[in-house]
């Protein structure tokens, strides 16, 4: 049974989503993905592009949920880092490049949370400007903050929209800590 409240470094956090709720939502997203690709008649399985580091938690859960319903995918990673002095703005850099051939592929970019949207906008432009761009690019995120900047893309596969408060757990961190919490907590 998850704790309703936790204290970390003197800050209080309240339970937002339990592991059970997360897995149920991931299963729903997996079913939507499988249905969309089967309905479109796409034969080649899509590539799940996991955005490190937080996105790997959702990517693993999503890959397992898709496999459980008989829909196989391949996985690759990209490392993106936003450098800033505060929580707003900053410069985005790619520190781990995809290894898979992306041209003419169907790609689903998987991220734990879209906060401001700057990092995902950067990666979207990167994908579009490849010499041989992907055939299709879709976006999947467990959490989408409602106060994000304008996005250059739409999020097709969404868990939940959340407010602007800080969240941790299930891949989301506080200064590179607490990603491993099974549940998701919001700072109060």
């Amino acid at each position: 049974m998850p704790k309703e409240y936790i204290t970390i470094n003197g800050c209080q956090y309240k339970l937002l989503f339990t592991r059970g709720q997360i897995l149920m939502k991931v299963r729903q997203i997996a079913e939507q993905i499988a249905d969309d690709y089967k309905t479109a008649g796409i034969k080649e399985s899509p590539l799940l592009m996991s955005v490190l580091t937080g996105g790997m938690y959702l990517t693993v859960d999503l890959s397992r949920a898709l496999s459980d319903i008989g829909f196989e995918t391949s996985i690759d990673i990209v490392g993106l880092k936003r450098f800033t002095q505060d929580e707003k703005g900053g410069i985005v850099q790619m520190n781990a490049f995809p290894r898979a051939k992306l041209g003419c592929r169907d790609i689903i970019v998987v991220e734990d949370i879209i906060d401001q949207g700057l990092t995902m906008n950067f990666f979207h432009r990167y994908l579009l400007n490849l010499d041989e761009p992907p055939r299709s690019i879709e976006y999947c995120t467990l959490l989408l903050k409602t106060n994000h900047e304008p996005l250059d893309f739409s999020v097709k596969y969404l868990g939940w929209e959340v407010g602007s408060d800080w969240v941790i757990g299930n891949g989301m961190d506080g200064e590179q800590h607490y990603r491993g919490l099974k549940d998701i907590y919001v700072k109060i």
Side-chain angles (χ1 to χ4, degrees), residues 19 22-23 26-27 30 48 55-68 142 170 182:
R19 179 73 176 146
I22 295 165
L23 291 176
V26 171
R27 175 69 182 226
L48 299 180
M56 69 182 185
Y57 293 80
L58 176 56
T59 303
V60 168
D61 287 343
L62 183 58
S63 175
R64 288 177 177 156
L66 286 162
S67 183
D68 286 349
L142 194 56
N170 201 72
K182 292 179 182 179

Side-chain angles (χ1 to χ4, degrees), residues 80-156:
L80 300 169
K81 177 78 174 156
R82 186 172 55 95
F83 295 93
T84 182
Q85 298 295 340
D86 56 27
E87 292 183 25
K88 296 275 183 206
I91 298 170
V92 179
Q93 293 181 344
M94 194 175 308
N95 54 20
F97 289 82
R99 293 172 48 182
K101 181 179 178 279
L102 304 180
C104 299
R105 296 276 312 262
D106 297 301
I107 296 175
I108 301 173
V109 179
V110 182
E111 175 68 300
D112 57 348
I113 183 169
I114 296 178
D115 191 336
Q116 293 179 48
L118 299 173
T119 305
M120 289 296 90
N121 279 342
F122 170 89
F123 189 56
H124 185 72
R125 288 188 298 272
Y126 168 83
L127 291 171
L128 292 178
N129 288 307
L130 289 171
D131 288 340
E132 192 177 354
R135 178 175 35 238
S136 70
I137 308 166
E138 301 295 352
Y139 288 84
C140 174
T141 187
L142 194 56
L143 301 181
L144 175 65
K145 288 201 174 180
T146 55
N147 64 328
H148 59 75
E149 298 288 326
L151 300 176
D152 297 341
F153 58 90
S154 61
V155 177
K156 186 167 187 176

